[in-house]
Amino acid sequence: MSGSAYFFVNNQDGRDLYKSDGTAAGTNYVAHISPNRDEEQGRSFELTAVDQTLFFLGNTNDSGRELWKSDGTEEGTMLVKDISPGQANSTITDLINVNGTLYFFVEKYPSIELWKSDGTETGTVMVKYFRRPSFPTPLVFKGQIYFWAINDTENYELWKSNGTAEGTVLVKNISYQRGSGLDYNPTIQIVGDKLYFFYRLPDSRKQLWVSDGTSNGTRQVFEFNTGSEILIAWTSEINQLYLFCIGIDLWRSDGTLAGTYKIHTAPGDFISLFPLAKLGTKFMFVNHNNQFGNAVWQTDGTVAGTTLLKHTAPAFHTELTSISTLSSAVHKNILYFEGGAFDSGNELWRTDGTQQGTYRTTIFTPGGNTDFGSMLSIGNHLLVSAYQHYNSSREFDLYEFVPESLPDPTRINTGGNAVVISDGRTFSADQYFTGTSNVSTTPAGDFLNTNDDQLYREQRYGPSFSYNIPVTNGSKSVVLHFAETFWGIPGKGGATGVNKRRFHVNIEGSRKLTNYDLFQAAGGAMRARTETFPVTVSDGTLNIDFLKGLADNPIIAAIEILPSQQVSLEPVADAYVRNIPSNNLNFGTDTTLDVKSGSLPSYERKAFLKFSLEGVSRVTSARLLLYHNKFDYGEQLKASVFGVPSDSWTENGITWSNSPASSGGELGSAQIYYNGRYHEIDLTTYVRDQLAGDKTVSLLLTDATNQNQLFGFNSRENSRDRPRLIINTSPNTSPLAREGNEVEDRQVEKAPSTIFPNPASKKFSIKISDKHEGELNIELTSVTGRIYHFEKIASSKAVKDADINLASSNLSAGIYFVKLRSFQYQETIKLLIK
């Protein structure tokens, strides 16, 4: 209200009202509201602005919980009216501003009343009495309040009111038999000049209805056999769309039968859709199903435009374990939201509607968990309410999120015209090139490993050419897009393409690719392939030189230059080695990195990876991503990573017999659950040490627990989901900055709880983390949201292991989430039930 955020703060004496303009100096106490903090825990305070007056629900010693108002000053904060004199509290709900007048509902079981207020005691009056309670969920439409109430036949119906008793009327009596009507959580949305809502029949069939606010203009649009529904109202820049979810399907409607149709079916066997926000011409939503788990999706209302967003690191959807749609806000065309990840607890994520622009912004509580309350954008400020779980007081503080100021990325469709690809990234027309070159065109044919064929149809090629691109100075991440469109294609270059095109690439005068065999690297012709390099620019121009090598001419499809807040590095070499009788064989060209330790030497396999840190100037965090593609099904497995001092080994020369030894203890590990997902291992400290040394990271991947089980990860020779070292290069300060205060020293983090076995069948055990103190609650949540409670543990300090028996729960196979909650700590662990 008036450029300030209003919120409540708990203290020893109750609850106070505060306001903030997004600065420390502008964050001030307004008034003391509630004398008893304990009575107010978990309550909604219904903060609602009407012009320059803030209405809310507060307590006094005399009147209990009643309607209050404030003008932003202590003297202007006061009780409006005691709605239910003589009672401890009034049950007031659903405060809403209707054209400068406050409307609200008062529950007086077994009835409910519609009230309105002009901010004075005498002007706060009842409008109409309803003899049965309901869930009004009101909204403002065409200058009046619309809401749900129960009519004389005891069915939910749509009502409207102009603020008078006689003007409070039923819109249309839809119910034709007892038992029909709205569900007990009715939803209604406004799109343009129409209202949309669902109606439930006694046999559970659902009908989509549309209304212009009149009885004659209220009609049925479509009928569905069954399924839960979620409504999303969204007006795009092109036309008005109304999106909704029925069962596993996403639909759209324009209010007509012909304009109501399905645009997306979830690829898994269950979908839960929760709206996030409108972002430009797209709508962002959270989709949960058994194939993708929790993920952020986007839609423009078309079949082709309904897509899963991915992180710059591969398989973004597998990194997210939870997403909160309650803690989110749009700030400067970026959507910020609370998300959980496998390698951290809940932290702050962001998306701009593109693959590259969707990532975790920061780890605010390293090794722990962050709880976020509300987020609110005010002018140039994004306010965030949050607390860190190492803070034993469990108190929220107010922060301003300050994103790192980054220049816009540069993207060029080399050889072609400007193009917008499927995830929303825009590539400009070809520019900034010099030297001897031409344009190669491939008008037809399907390109594999990409959804954006047009980006690869026109390419620049020639014996020697360069790109000299103006950029801001600093660290960059350069992404080169390649595809072979001649060699290896029957009728063009023949049946094989190996060694037919080999060229060099220099960036900023440094050799990045030497005799690069595009056909071999991509796994064939007409296959998209990217190579990413970190570089530092100091003269305002990024120079990329494409030079002739052993065969034919260099060729390039597209160039991306990204601010290196996050750099994604592929290995410069990787291979696995095998013990006797294969101890002198090399497996450097295999598409898999195999690992196994067992009772016989012939079983033993271990893998090596090497990364170059050339061009990396700072390491705030470093994570190794490995895509797991096979293992011997059985108990949960563990892959361990160790540092290798020697970097002299080569991909095509390393064997078991000549492989270098590791040194030091385990750097990190990953618990292997099942195939087809990335695993993350934090290597921050080790990578920082190597950056200060020879700028090369060599790693050993092995089974340190001798489980006698085979498991493997995709190698850099694989056509997709290759290993990555993800390095955050942003300044080593938290973007969540408490103004005027130093961040307190963080305690040494203790290990989180673990589950074994995972996957589980009839039972599993939990090793309880030392982070928990006092009574511990354990519950299991399915992807559908169903919660299974287990017994409480009175003292998590005394009990370190909990055995959970699922035999009587009749749980179906699939993904579940185990939540452990104590006074000190809260965590969620993903569990696969087989």
Side-chain angles (χ1 to χ4, degrees), residues 7 14 45 106 374 400 429 434 692:
F7 55 95
F45 293 89
V106 179
S374 299
E400 179 187 9
T434 61

Side-chain angles (χ1 to χ4, degrees), residues 415-454:
N417 297 319
V419 61
V420 179
I421 65 174
S422 60
D423 64 5
R425 284 176 290 163
T426 299
F427 287 74
S428 70
D430 199 6
Q431 55 184 325
Y432 304 128
F433 59 89
T434 61
T436 305
S437 62
N438 295 288
V439 173
S440 171
T441 302
T442 306
D446 180 34
F447 285 84
L448 301 182
N449 304 330
T450 181
N451 294 323
D452 301 296
D453 291 8
Q454 188 58 45

Side-chain angles (χ1 to χ4, degrees), residues 214-379:
T214 68
S215 179
N216 291 334
T218 303
R219 55 183 174 77
Q220 177 187 329
V221 178
F222 201 80
E223 183 172 295
F224 305 86
N225 290 329
T226 185
S228 60
E229 74 283 341
I230 299 170
L231 311 185
I232 305 172
W234 169 46
T235 303
S236 75
E237 294 179 358
I238 302 172
N239 54 18
Q240 293 173 348
L241 301 177
Y242 174 73
L243 305 176
F244 55 94
C245 171
I246 291 289
I248 65 170
D249 300 325
L250 184 67
W251 291 66
R252 67 175 279 181
S253 177
D254 61 3
T256 67
L257 181 60
T260 303
Y261 54 90
K262 181 169 57 179
I263 63 173
H264 180 70
T265 296
D269 57 4
F270 180 82
I271 182 173
S272 294
L273 187 150
F274 304 96
L276 273 173
K278 181 186 175 186
L279 202 60
T281 60
K282 299 176 181 178
F283 195 91
M284 321 302 293
F285 62 94
V286 174
N287 181 10
H288 186 110
N289 61 58
N290 284 346
Q291 177 171 337
F292 293 112
N294 290 287
V296 177
W297 288 65
Q298 64 180 2
T299 182
D300 60 3
T302 67
V303 176
T306 303
T307 58
L308 171 70
L309 280 178
K310 295 183 180 180
H311 189 273
T312 35
F316 161 70
H317 54 276
T318 62
E319 294 177 2
L320 278 173
T321 57
S322 63
I323 303 170
S324 172
T325 57
L326 301 178
S327 300
S328 64
V330 175
H331 180 65
K332 296 185 177 180
N333 297 317
I334 303 293
L335 172 62
Y336 295 90
F337 60 94
E338 176 185 345
F342 284 106
D343 67 331
S344 70
N346 292 338
E347 295 295 349
L348 190 64
W349 289 66
R350 55 95 79 186
T351 180
D352 60 4
T354 70
Q355 176 183 355
Q356 281 73 16
T358 303
Y359 52 83
R360 180 178 50 206
T361 63
T362 181
I363 297 181
F364 185 36
T365 311
N369 199 37
T370 307
D371 266 8
F372 292 90
S374 299
M375 301 181 193
L376 189 64
S377 177
I378 300 181

Side-chain angles (χ1 to χ4, degrees), residues 5 14 107 124 227 326 420 448 509 533 589 728 751 777:
E107 296 181 10
T124 303
L326 301 178
V420 179
L448 301 182
F533 308 97
T589 59
N728 190 315
N777 293 279

Side-chain angles (χ1 to χ4, degrees), residues 64 66 151 208 225 283 308 316 352 364 368 375 386 389 408 414 417 458 524 574 583 646 649 758 781 820:
E66 296 293 346
N151 64 9
L208 175 65
N225 290 329
F283 195 91
L308 171 70
F316 161 70
D352 60 4
F364 185 36
M375 301 181 193
H389 275 211
D408 292 334
T414 54
N417 297 319
E458 294 87 22
D574 64 9
N583 54 308
S646 174
W649 62 274
N758 192 353
T781 304
L820 291 83

Side-chain angles (χ1 to χ4, degrees), residues 57-287:
L57 305 181
N59 274 35
T60 66
N61 287 319
D62 298 329
S63 65
R65 183 178 169 88
E66 296 293 346
L67 182 66
W68 282 62
K69 70 175 181 180
S70 176
D71 62 2
T73 67
E74 185 171 16
E75 59 274 14
T77 303
M78 64 191 71
L79 174 72
V80 176
K81 183 172 185 174
D82 186 352
I83 302 294
S84 305
Q87 298 185 21
N89 295 306
S90 293
T91 305
I92 302 173
T93 65
D94 297 291
L95 274 64
I96 187 171
N97 177 9
V98 184
N99 295 334
T101 298
L102 179 75
Y103 283 74
F104 57 94
F105 290 83
V106 179
E107 296 181 10
K108 296 181 179 179
Y109 190 82
S111 65
I112 190 169
E113 299 168 351
L114 173 63
W115 284 64
K116 67 178 181 180
S117 175
D118 61 3
T120 67
E121 182 176 13
T122 56
T124 303
V125 296
M126 184 183 73
V127 178
K128 189 174 180 67
Y129 163 90
F130 296 87
R131 66 183 183 88
R132 288 289 306 277
S134 61
F135 297 91
T137 57
L139 49 73
V140 181
F141 181 59
K142 295 185 176 180
Q144 298 191 48
I145 180 174
Y146 283 70
F147 58 94
W148 301 115
I150 296 177
N151 64 9
D152 293 337
T153 60
E154 299 188 356
N155 288 308
Y156 267 108
E157 298 290 356
L158 183 63
W159 290 70
K160 64 180 178 180
S161 177
N162 63 5
T164 66
E166 59 276 10
T168 304
V169 296
L170 188 68
V171 175
K172 184 169 185 173
N173 189 1
I174 299 175
S175 61
Y176 52 88
Q177 62 183 101
R178 185 183 178 89
S180 60
L182 277 298
D183 284 336
Y184 281 95
N185 285 307
T187 45
I188 186 170
Q189 295 284 7
I190 301 173
V191 183
D193 60 351
K194 297 289 191 301
L195 294 173
Y196 291 82
F197 58 91
F198 281 102
Y199 208 76
R200 174 179 52 82
L201 302 178
D203 59 3
S204 296
R205 284 178 296 149
K206 302 290 177 64
Q207 296 175 342
L208 175 65
W209 283 70
V210 64
S211 175
D212 64 0
T214 68
S215 179
N216 291 334
T218 303
R219 55 183 174 77
Q220 177 187 329
V221 178
F222 201 80
E223 183 172 295
F224 305 86
N225 290 329
T226 185
S228 60
E229 74 283 341
I230 299 170
L231 311 185
I232 305 172
W234 169 46
T235 303
S236 75
E237 294 179 358
I238 302 172
N239 54 18
Q240 293 173 348
L241 301 177
Y242 174 73
L243 305 176
F244 55 94
C245 171
I246 291 289
I248 65 170
D249 300 325
L250 184 67
W251 291 66
R252 67 175 279 181
S253 177
D254 61 3
T256 67
L257 181 60
T260 303
Y261 54 90
K262 181 169 57 179
I263 63 173
H264 180 70
T265 296
D269 57 4
F270 180 82
I271 182 173
S272 294
L273 187 150
F274 304 96
L276 273 173
K278 181 186 175 186
L279 202 60
T281 60
K282 299 176 181 178
F283 195 91
M284 321 302 293
F285 62 94
V286 174
N287 181 10

Side-chain angles (χ1 to χ4, degrees), residues 415 439-444 456-459 461 485 492:
V439 173
S440 171
T441 302
T442 306
Y456 299 89
R457 295 204 183 281
E458 294 87 22
Q459 303 194 42
Y461 76 100
T485 57
K492 284 189 174 183

